[in-house]
């Protein structure tokens, strides 16, 4: 089985890549800027007996997304699993969000998903099998103050997931979404210790989530035995919402 994980050099993407590789998937580690991290992850996975390649591409740009899929085909063949993990976040008052901020957020968080889903479906429809898993956020469900454009972009990913799931189900393809809560990743590095403690206290299970928590959910939805689960949003948030 062959998998592409976008934004896979570190954090949640790196953990997903690691767990999938350990589970027997051939893994394409996509990155845009984190070249050193991506190549080191790739080296580590291959040294452990897995099969992984690192491919640089800005998947919000159609031509670069196409290059990523061409590289996957050259190395491993058709794509069975796509995990759309690439994304950015930004904290800003709504009245301070610029057109550039908005456009960049939607390019990274939504257009990239659109591009990669279209490309993955070329293989999946032909094979009458496929798994697409989109990484959204709990803020795409309930919204976050000072993150309106981020919350909106993740809500768009959830809408895309639900609609595409209905369209592709007759072809043996499932499309699901994971909505992580507060996860210990570089994306949350901007929060101070007091804020992180407050978020920990607000999480009913009493801890911040780990990238591994999200990766385990990906592995579950990617399994062939999960064929009756599609169009769903799986909250990995410790009961936050």
């Amino acid at each position: 089985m062959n998998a592409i994980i976008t934004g896979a050099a570190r954090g949640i993407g790196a953990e997903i890549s690691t767990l999938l590789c350990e589970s027997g998937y051939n893994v394409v580690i996509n990155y845009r800027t984190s070249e050193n991290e991506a190549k080191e992850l790739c080296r580590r996975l291959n040294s452990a007996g897995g099969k992984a390649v690192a491919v640089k591409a800005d998947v919000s740009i159609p031509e670069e997304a196409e290059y990523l899929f061409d590289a996957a085909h050259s190395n491993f063949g058709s794509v069975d699993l796509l995990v759309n993990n690439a994304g950015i976040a930004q904290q800003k008052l709504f009245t301070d969000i610029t057109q550039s901020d908005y456009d960049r957020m939607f390019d990274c968080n939504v257009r990239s998903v659109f591009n990669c889903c279209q490309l993955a479906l070329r293989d999946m429809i032909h094979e009458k099998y496929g798994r697409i898993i989109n990484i959204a956020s709990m803020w795409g469900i309930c919204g976050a103050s000072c993150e309106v454009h981020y919350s909106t972009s993740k809500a768009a990913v959830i809408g895309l997931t639900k609609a595409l799931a209905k369209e592709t189900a007759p072809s043996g393809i499932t499309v699901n979404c994971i909505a992580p809560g507060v996860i210990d990743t570089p994306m949350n590095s901007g929060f101070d210790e007091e804020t992180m403690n407050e978020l920990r206290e607000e999480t009913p299970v009493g801890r911040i989530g780990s990238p591994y928590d999200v990766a385990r959910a990906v592995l579950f939805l990617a399994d062939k035995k999960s064929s009756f689960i599609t169009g769903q949003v799986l909250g990995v948030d410790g009961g936050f919402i």
Side-chain angles (χ1 to χ4, degrees):
M1 301 291 280
N2 306 320
I4 290 178
I5 302 92
T6 67
R10 55 186 186 152
I12 291 172
E15 196 66 44
I16 293 170
S17 299
T18 301
L19 189 56
L20 289 174
C21 206
E22 290 173 350
S23 301
Y25 285 82
N26 302 320
V27 171
V28 179
I29 299 164
N30 163 247
Y31 69 96
R32 185 174 65 90
T33 58
S34 304
E35 183 172 7
N36 291 338
E37 293 96 328
K39 289 185 174 179
E40 173 56 24
L41 174 61
C42 188
R43 184 200 64 75
R44 215 165 54 239
L45 295 180
N46 287 323
S47 295
K51 292 184 178 179
V53 294
V55 180
K56 179 179 181 179
D58 181 344
V59 288
S60 70
I61 300 171
E63 294 78 12
E64 294 200 26
E66 185 113 34
Y67 172 78
L68 170 63
F69 278 77
D70 287 344
H73 293 150
S74 297
N75 283 277
F76 300 129
S78 62
V79 176
D80 304 294
L81 168 63
L82 167 65
V83 182
N84 283 305
N85 172 72
I88 60 170
Q90 184 184 43
Q91 289 188 300
K92 226 174 187 185
L93 285 171
F94 179 71
T95 50
D96 292 338
I97 296 171
T98 66
Q99 288 293 323
S100 176
D101 291 333
Y102 182 89
D103 289 344
R104 181 168 176 264
M105 187 67 68
F106 271 75
D107 281 347
C108 292
N109 291 1
V110 186
R111 189 182 297 274
S112 63
V113 176
F114 176 88
N115 290 340
C116 290
C117 284
Q118 279 200 328
L119 291 164
L121 287 175
R122 294 179 185 176
D123 288 343
M124 295 177 180
I125 290 173
H126 181 266
E127 297 294 332
K128 297 296 181 184
Y129 175 84
R131 297 284 183 268
I132 295 174
I133 302 170
N134 300 320
I135 308 299
S137 168
M138 67 177 182
W139 304 126
I141 299 171
C142 65
S145 174
C146 296
E147 291 185 87
V148 171
H149 52 336
Y150 175 75
S151 300
T152 306
S153 71
K154 291 303 187 179
V157 171
I158 291 170
L160 184 154
T161 298
K162 289 179 173 292
L164 188 59
K166 291 182 177 179
E167 188 169 327
T168 59
S171 297
I173 299 161
T174 65
V175 187
N176 289 291
C177 190
I178 293 173
V182 183
I183 308 294
D184 185 15
T185 68
M187 188 175 281
N188 290 321
S189 61
F191 293 124
D192 58 28
E193 186 175 350
E194 182 181 355
T195 301
M196 292 302 290
N197 285 333
E198 289 174 357
L199 289 169
R200 185 178 293 105
E201 289 173 4
E202 286 183 60
T203 304
V205 300
R207 68 175 176 88
I208 299 299
S210 72
Y212 183 75
D213 292 319
V214 180
R216 284 295 305 174
V218 169
L219 189 63
F220 166 71
L221 291 172
D223 196 295
K224 286 185 177 182
K225 295 177 182 178
S226 298
S227 61
F228 203 58
I229 302 172
T230 194
Q232 302 305 302
V233 182
L234 177 58
V236 182
D237 61 14
F240 199 104
I241 60 170

